[in-house]
Amino acid sequence: DAPTLARLLPELAALRPAERLTLISDQWALVRAGAVPIGAFLDLVASLGGEADHVVLDDVVGRLGAIEHRHLDEAERGRFERFVRDLLGGRAAELGWGAAQEDDETRLRRAALLRAVVLLARDPAQVAEAVRRLPPPKGAPGVDPNLLDVVVTAAARAADTAAFEELRRRAREEADPSAK
């Protein structure tokens, strides 16, 4: 219930990742059932802004993506983008776009953060960097495979008709299913 959740939000860091995932899932189910307003779910998300576990972070970004795709009207888009940018943009900027030597947890955390900041918050500087990182045709991908979807989506959104058709052609001709 709302009072219990309000007491729990400041203590989320004390929960194990699996418990945070369950809480997110339960609150999202309540939103989808119409039992809880979406604002209450966003309060939970705001409490997870410092989340370090990539699985929890990826789940949060996925739920924000569902909100952006299915529940957001155009009049609210700017406010939603600012919310996501304020919540996760600083951490995405700190991690940047990659380092030569780092662990999987960091790479996966970066992918979730950049997915949120580029695709949901549409941060202009991060979108420009994503587009810049689009691998050249027939070139070796110079981007972390975990970020390829972010890079290609950003490039497609920013593309004019000719560039978009080139991306479509490349997708049709790509033999590697993970790159396709």
Side-chain angles (χ1 to χ4, degrees):
D1 64 9
T4 304
L5 183 61
R7 286 195 323 268
L8 184 59
L9 292 182
E11 305 300 327
L12 290 179
L15 300 177
R16 294 188 315 266
E19 292 170 324
R20 292 192 301 274
L21 277 172
T22 300
L23 179 60
I24 293 164
S25 179
D26 289 350
Q27 286 303 114
W28 184 246
L30 290 169
V31 167
R32 293 192 62 207
V36 170
I38 203 157
F41 181 77
L42 291 174
D43 289 342
L44 169 61
V45 168
S47 296
L48 292 163
E51 181 61 52
D53 186 272
H54 78 272
V55 175
V56 175
L57 192 55
D58 195 55
D59 191 56
V60 167
V61 172
R63 310 288 179 171
L64 289 171
I67 291 169
E68 189 260 351
H69 184 68
R70 295 187 189 107
H71 302 282
L72 195 63
D73 97 15
E74 286 306 310
E76 296 170 327
R77 181 165 300 281
R79 198 167 72 160
F80 177 80
E81 289 173 359
R82 279 188 304 282
F83 172 78
V84 174
R85 195 169 31 251
D86 291 347
L87 184 66
L88 303 172
R91 294 184 55 220
E94 285 174 15
L95 282 178
W97 281 83
Q101 298 291 326
E102 60 189 6
D103 59 26
D104 288 340
E105 178 68 32
T106 302
R107 273 196 305 281
L108 294 170
R109 186 179 317 115
R110 171 183 295 106
L113 290 166
L114 287 173
R115 190 168 292 111
V117 175
V118 171
L119 303 182
L120 301 178
R122 300 179 189 206
D123 179 89
Q126 294 287 16
V127 168
E129 183 61 22
V131 171
R132 188 187 74 71
R133 289 176 177 270
L134 182 69
K138 309 268 192 252
V143 66
D144 178 343
N146 296 303
L147 297 173
L148 194 55
D149 65 325
V150 174
V151 167
V152 171
T153 301
R157 285 180 177 172
D160 61 16
T161 302
F164 187 79
E165 289 306 318
E166 173 62 16
L167 285 171
R168 289 182 69 197
R169 183 196 62 73
R170 287 173 63 180
R172 282 191 303 273
E173 294 175 4
E174 179 59 57
D176 178 6
S178 64
K180 191 177 192 84

